[in-house]
Amino acid sequence: MRLSIKAMHYFLTAVDLRSIVRAAQHRNVVPSAISSAIDAVEGEFGLKLVQRFPAKGIQPTAAGIIIAQKIRRLIEEYDDLIIGGNELRDALSGKLSIGYYAPMAPAFLPATLAPLMMENPEIRLQCIECNNESAQLGLLDGTFDVIVFVSDSVHLGISCDTLIDAPPYLLLPPTHPLAKRRSVAFAELADLDMVLLDLPFTTKYLRGLFEGIGFEPQIVATASSSEMVRNLVGAGVGCSILNMRPLGGSTHSGKPVVEIPIRPPVQSLRLVLGYLDGNPRRVVSAVRESILAYFGTPDARKLIVANKGKTRRRTVSDQAADELE
């Protein structure tokens, strides 16, 4: 700025008090600072804005009165800007935009966000389903405040907190011959009809798992949502590989499915919380804290199917459990 806010404040004070000396006392500065500010404002506009009368003070000219009015409005807007910015930084309110990688986040985001919103009813939440790439780009361009995505090819400028490592598991209908197993070897999946979760990152990840053991999966169906995959499996179309599961377990169609760990452990997906470093709004920091706190609870571990010693298969309904006895 060619004219500083300080210079405009000094000029306005001198005009209001009609005195350089009294303006200096009011601003707690030397009179020469007020005089220099008047010179700066007059020099900027090329106008005579005040008449100076030694030992008698100053008198604004007609142009000086007009400029003083404009400066007053500008300073008021500036002060409103500073106050509003501070409130935006400190308040637990306002719009909060979260981008999330679709197959993962719906299992836990509502549980982490609902308590914060109930305690702070002025928060307005916007959740937007993304793929891994669009989530990161949205964070960098300011569309999102935070993102939940898979830690793969993370863009420069994005900081991440690890939430959970989610190993792949086999999802199948309870009538399948493998449904009674406590775990299954990855090589045993070679001859299975598979339902593939067909999303940009997920497809690459799943095909990489199969290529790692040297066979091509027999894909009989694809779907762009994990819930559709679960329903297709529940209907008996085929089996599938997923990494996270809903806590309730049941499919939309009401059909039971069985979740079985895969052995030996293969590449997991690392779910992370992405954000930009700096001085975030208080509401953004609160959301980050809430999500991190959730992933320190036992409920978060229920989102994955891990192969640990005596881990049993998990059936999503009592009805399915009865069928397996």
Side-chain angles (χ1 to χ4, degrees):
M1 295 178 64
R2 294 182 296 185
L3 272 181
S4 69
I5 294 294
K6 181 186 291 185
M8 288 188 282
H9 268 297
Y10 288 179
F11 172 82
L12 192 59
T13 303
V15 169
D16 288 344
L17 297 178
R18 300 295 198 268
S19 169
I20 290 176
V21 173
R22 288 199 298 272
Q25 292 170 344
H26 182 79
R27 289 289 176 181
N28 196 28
V29 296
V30 296
S32 61
I34 303 295
S35 183
S36 295
I38 294 173
D39 292 341
V41 177
E42 289 184 325
E44 177 63 31
F45 296 109
L47 294 170
K48 184 69 173 177
L49 301 179
V50 300
Q51 294 285 349
R52 308 187 194 201
F53 301 100
K56 293 185 178 180
I58 64 171
Q59 183 67 34
T61 65
I65 292 173
I66 293 172
I67 292 297
Q69 291 172 342
K70 293 181 180 294
I71 287 177
R72 193 184 310 280
R73 287 196 294 269
L74 176 62
I75 288 176
E76 288 173 352
E77 290 180 2
Y78 175 80
D79 289 342
D80 287 343
L81 171 64
I82 297 302
I83 293 170
N86 289 334
E87 290 176 348
L88 182 65
R89 179 194 64 205
D90 297 333
L92 282 169
S93 62
K95 180 182 175 183
L96 175 69
S97 184
I98 300 178
Y100 64 91
Y101 178 48
M104 299 284 196
F108 63 86
L109 266 183
T112 62
L113 298 175
L116 180 66
M117 294 189 66
M118 285 188 286
E119 293 174 6
N120 304 278
E122 293 185 3
I123 294 175
R124 293 296 175 264
L125 180 64
Q126 181 182 48
C127 293
I128 299 178
E129 187 175 300
C130 307
N131 60 44
N132 233 39
E133 180 68 8
S134 62
Q136 295 186 71
L137 294 177
L139 178 64
L140 292 171
D141 70 16
T143 301
F144 303 130
D145 294 299
V146 294
I147 58 174
V148 177
F149 70 114
V150 173
S151 178
D152 178 78
S153 302
V154 179
H155 289 241
L156 288 175
I158 297 179
S159 297
C160 298
D161 294 325
T162 297
L163 300 178
I164 200 168
D165 288 317
Y169 66 88
L170 179 64
L171 184 75
L172 35 79
T175 55
H176 194 279
L178 294 177
K180 296 182 180 181
R181 299 275 291 276
R182 294 187 177 184
S183 64
V184 60
F186 204 92
E188 295 179 85
L189 310 186
D191 298 324
L192 300 183
D193 290 340
M194 301 297 295
V195 178
L196 180 70
L197 178 59
D198 189 14
L199 292 171
F201 171 78
T202 307
T203 300
K204 176 183 174 183
Y205 163 76
L206 293 173
R207 289 189 178 277
L209 293 180
F210 285 107
E211 289 172 2
I213 58 173
F215 69 83
E216 185 74 16
Q218 298 185 60
I219 298 173
V220 297
T222 64
S224 60
S225 74
S226 56
E227 187 53 43
M228 180 58 76
V229 168
R230 293 176 63 85
N231 278 277
L232 289 169
V233 171
V237 171
C239 305
S240 189
I241 296 176
L242 295 175
N243 293 77
M244 294 185 74
R245 62 188 181 189
L247 290 177
S250 60
T251 62
H252 284 180
S253 62
K255 298 289 186 181
V257 288
V258 177
E259 300 154 342
I260 300 179
I262 295 174
R263 68 173 197 279
V266 292
Q267 181 185 358
S268 296
L269 291 184
R270 174 162 290 181
L271 191 67
V272 297
L273 179 68
Y275 56 93
L276 301 181
D277 281 329
N279 297 307
R281 293 185 293 144
R282 185 182 174 196
V283 66
V284 175
S285 298
V287 166
R288 182 182 167 200
E289 292 168 4
S290 294
I291 293 175
L292 290 175
Y294 175 83
F295 277 91
T297 67
D299 276 350
R301 302 302 302 174
K302 297 176 184 177
L303 296 170
I304 63 174
V305 179
N307 185 17
K308 294 183 178 180
K310 295 183 179 179
T311 298
R312 299 279 315 264
R313 66 191 184 281
R314 177 182 182 269
T315 309
V316 303
S317 71
D318 293 337
Q319 173 191 353
D322 292 340
E323 293 173 0
L324 293 173
E325 290 299 324

